[in-house]
Each structure stands twice: as structure tokens, then as C-alpha cells.
Amino acid sequence: MSEVEESAVPSPPSANPDGGWGRAKVPLPAPALDLGAPLPQVARPVGTVVLRTLLFSAQDPAVVPAREDTLSAGERARLPGDAAERLRYVAERAGLRLLLASCLGAAPQGIAVDAGPCPRCGAHHGRTASARGRPPLHVATAAHGDLVVLALAAAPVGLGLAVPAGPDRDALLEARKPARLAAGSGALARGRCGEPRTSGVARRVEYVDVPPEGECVVSVVWQEHSQP
């Protein structure tokens, strides 16, 4: 697994992140995450953003239960009783923990994932994950059907997902805006939600190359820098 490089496509104007509906966009790659395969280590610090897609239907059902040992004690205590729900629960949380482990260089079950509400506004944004002695990573997830998209970054990051009204190009382009807006709302530093969004925080807007089975448009937004 390698760090996602900056797109060769120039950044569009901040006033119109799509640069116009007809502008060609090269989506960032989001390779499939296989729960049965070891993940290569990602060099720290994560410079831009690491993206992965988890497709439940592509996982080996025999492998997923074995990944319960990657969950935290709290997650194991919340394992659903229904078999199908349990498999999905384990796959989603184990996938995130395995990806975090490859970036943080720590045991997956020992990583603290802060998934609670923002102490300032109560919204669920600004998720972080940390391991002892290592700088935290910002986490974002988006899901639709059998597809989960995972994003990790050294700065606040958000993912937005929208389902197009049809398979044609116009429908795909129209779905960009809600996906972009949802991702932008997630790319807020924890506790900064009460400040104006034009307070000097530059954000990078891109789209994610999701598998056709996902039948959705996914945008990723992350902060390029933030004020002290």
C-alpha cells in the first residue's frame, strides 16, 4: 500500500470546487481492502490522504470472523447477535483498524478511535485515531450498500457519498455537489465548527475512484493547513 499522491490535475478555484460541471476530474485511487491479506506499512507522516474501499461481498466469509481479534474490548462487547449483522460489523471495524495499524505501526486492537460527538457542537465530525507515542490520524468513512470507503489523513478529512439519479454522465455530475458538501462538512478541525469557514483554512476537494458495484459518487475533502 502506498500513500496517495497529489493529483496531476490542477486544483479548481475555491469558489467552485468542481471547476464547472463539464470539467474532467481524475479520481483518486482507492484500492480494495482485503481482510485476509496483510497490509504493507505506510510511511509516517501521512502526507496527503490514504484511501481504501471495503466491499463486503468481496470478502471471504471464513476470514471475517477471524478478524474479531483486531477489535477493541468495547467493540467486542457490542457484537450483534444476528449472524449477518455480526459479519458486517466485524468487517467494517476490522477493516478500519487494519488500515490504521498499517499507518500507525501499532496493534489494531490497541488503537484508540475517537468516534464521539464534537464537544463544541455535538456533531459527529473530526474523528481521530491514535496509538501511544504516535501522532493521531484523522479518520473519515462513508458507506452505501456493500461498499465502505475509508480515508485517513494527518489533517482533518471528510468523505461525502451521493447516489446518482441515473447512470448517465449528467446524473453523475449532479451527484458531485451533495457528495462534495457532505465531505466538506467533515473536513473541520474538532472544536473549530463555531468559527467562520473562511477563517484561513484551505481545503482540497477531490473525487474517489470507487468500484462499479458501489453505484455512488464519493468526494474527499481534507485541510491543507489550519491556523494555530
Side-chain angles (χ1 to χ4, degrees), residues 11-197:
S11 298
S14 57
N16 184 358
D18 283 320
W21 291 117
R23 183 177 185 272
K25 295 285 287 184
V26 178
L28 294 179
L33 197 161
D34 182 358
L35 296 180
L39 292 176
Q41 297 299 303
V42 175
R44 286 297 308 267
V46 177
T48 305
V49 60
V50 172
L51 291 161
R52 287 294 181 272
T53 52
L54 177 65
L55 199 63
F56 294 123
S57 57
Q59 304 299 321
D60 182 352
V63 171
V64 177
R67 289 303 190 181
E68 288 187 13
D69 63 356
T70 67
L71 306 183
S72 68
E75 288 170 334
R76 288 195 296 272
R78 294 190 296 270
L79 283 169
D82 178 79
E85 291 181 5
R86 186 183 183 104
L87 283 175
R88 185 182 182 93
Y89 180 95
V90 172
E92 183 172 356
R93 283 158 177 76
L96 174 60
R97 287 190 172 277
L98 289 169
L99 182 57
L100 285 166
S102 72
C103 295
L104 291 169
Q109 61 270 29
I111 296 171
V113 179
D114 177 10
C118 169
R120 183 166 182 171
C121 72
H124 287 262
H125 63 69
R127 295 174 65 196
T128 59
S130 59
R132 181 174 298 179
R134 294 171 176 82
L137 285 176
H138 294 263
V139 181
T141 61
H144 173 66
D146 280 350
L147 176 71
V148 177
V149 185
L150 308 169
L152 307 180
V157 61
L159 283 171
L161 185 151
V163 180
D168 56 284
R169 181 175 180 273
D170 288 344
L172 292 173
L173 292 176
E174 288 288 345
R176 282 182 175 181
K177 183 176 181 179
R180 183 185 77 240
L181 293 176
S185 67
L188 292 169
R190 193 171 185 84
R192 292 176 58 90
C193 52
E195 299 180 18
R197 295 193 181 188

Side-chain angles (χ1 to χ4, degrees), residues 193-218:
C193 52
E195 299 180 18
R197 295 193 181 188
T198 57
S199 59
V201 178
R203 295 180 177 88
R204 179 69 176 267
V205 178
E206 292 291 350
Y207 293 90
V208 181
D209 186 14
V210 297
E213 299 94 324
E215 298 179 335
C216 57
V217 173
V218 177

